[in-house]
Amino acid sequence: MEVLILEGDESDEVKFEIKELQYRIDELRRAAKKEGVDAEFALVVTGTTLRYALEDFLKSAFLDLALQCAAVICCRVTPLQKAQVVKLVKDFKPNKSDDDNITLAIGDGANDVSMIREAHIGVGISGKEGMQAVLASDFCFAQFRFLERLILVHGHWSYIRMCKFLRYFIIKNFAYPE
């Protein structure tokens, strides 16, 4: 996995860096395609750079860059920036006909509350940093490892229940039309 670092102290510098990284991704993808290998990227963004990347005229370019990466790591960011990143992903629609994206935010302290509230599904982890994230969340855990069970087991059962409901709904409407 190729790690890309987005750094900049001014709007113009961040804009240039985003274009340069997109060009680099295209080059690396072409080279990997010739070798028959899939290219994966990780993007690292600092809080000062994210401040400029989340400005109105750079949001779409930053989102395009982030969507080309398998992982995006935002380090040293403020609680407001965390919420803005979640909102950016939440509001993204690749096609006009697509439904909204579903976002999941995981936090363990008071600085994660705005991010948890902005997301569709908020998960709080109770621990050393206090209970503020747990109080603001939809689900809470004692440890991070319990998240796997929520997604795989409870997600599976929720899917099964929804399928049964839809099957009943369709049959009811065919059998008893109004």
Side-chain angles (χ1 to χ4, degrees):
M1 180 177 287
E2 183 78 20
V3 177
L4 308 170
I5 299 173
L6 179 62
E7 290 182 301
D9 295 328
E10 295 178 358
S11 296
D12 295 333
E13 190 177 342
V14 172
K15 183 178 181 179
F16 177 76
E17 283 286 324
I18 289 173
K19 287 181 181 179
E20 191 173 298
L21 287 176
Q22 286 177 335
Y23 179 73
R24 186 169 171 207
I25 287 174
D26 291 340
E27 278 185 351
L28 291 171
R29 281 221 170 110
R30 274 187 247 124
K33 191 175 183 180
K34 287 180 183 177
E35 296 175 10
V37 182
D38 285 337
E40 287 189 341
F41 307 100
L43 179 65
V44 178
V45 185
T46 62
T48 56
T49 306
L50 191 61
R51 178 178 61 199
Y52 298 113
L54 291 174
E55 290 179 351
D56 290 334
F57 68 96
L58 283 178
K59 274 185 184 179
S60 61
F62 173 68
L63 184 62
D64 290 340
L65 177 66
L67 289 174
Q68 294 179 31
C69 299
V72 178
I73 300 168
C74 301
C75 55
R76 309 301 273 167
V77 297
T78 65
L80 179 62
Q81 287 175 326
K82 292 177 185 184
Q84 287 174 334
V85 169
V86 170
K87 183 168 177 44
L88 183 66
V89 173
K90 186 174 156 181
D91 295 341
F92 171 69
K93 294 182 183 179
N95 299 322
K96 300 251 188 238
S97 62
D98 283 351
D99 291 335
D100 292 336
N101 295 331
I102 303 296
T103 55
L104 171 82
I106 305 168
D108 64 346
N111 60 340
D112 298 321
V113 170
S114 61
M115 173 183 66
I116 289 171
R117 287 193 177 167
E118 184 65 44
H120 289 104
I121 303 167
V123 176
I125 299 174
S126 61
K128 296 178 184 175
E129 292 192 32
M131 297 292 289
Q132 290 88 355
V134 171
L135 294 173
S137 65
D138 300 316
F139 300 96
C140 63
F141 302 115
Q143 296 176 358
F144 187 77
R145 64 186 174 102
F146 299 138
L147 180 65
E148 181 181 20
R149 185 169 179 179
L150 171 74
I151 292 174
L152 297 179
V153 176
H154 294 289
H156 171 75
W157 284 110
S158 176
Y159 176 77
I160 297 296
R161 286 190 296 269
M162 187 59 70
C163 289
K164 287 180 181 178
F165 167 75
L166 288 175
R167 186 174 53 195
Y168 168 75
F169 183 76
I170 291 170
I171 291 171
K172 179 189 81 79
N173 284 330
F174 278 126
Y176 308 106
E178 290 184 21

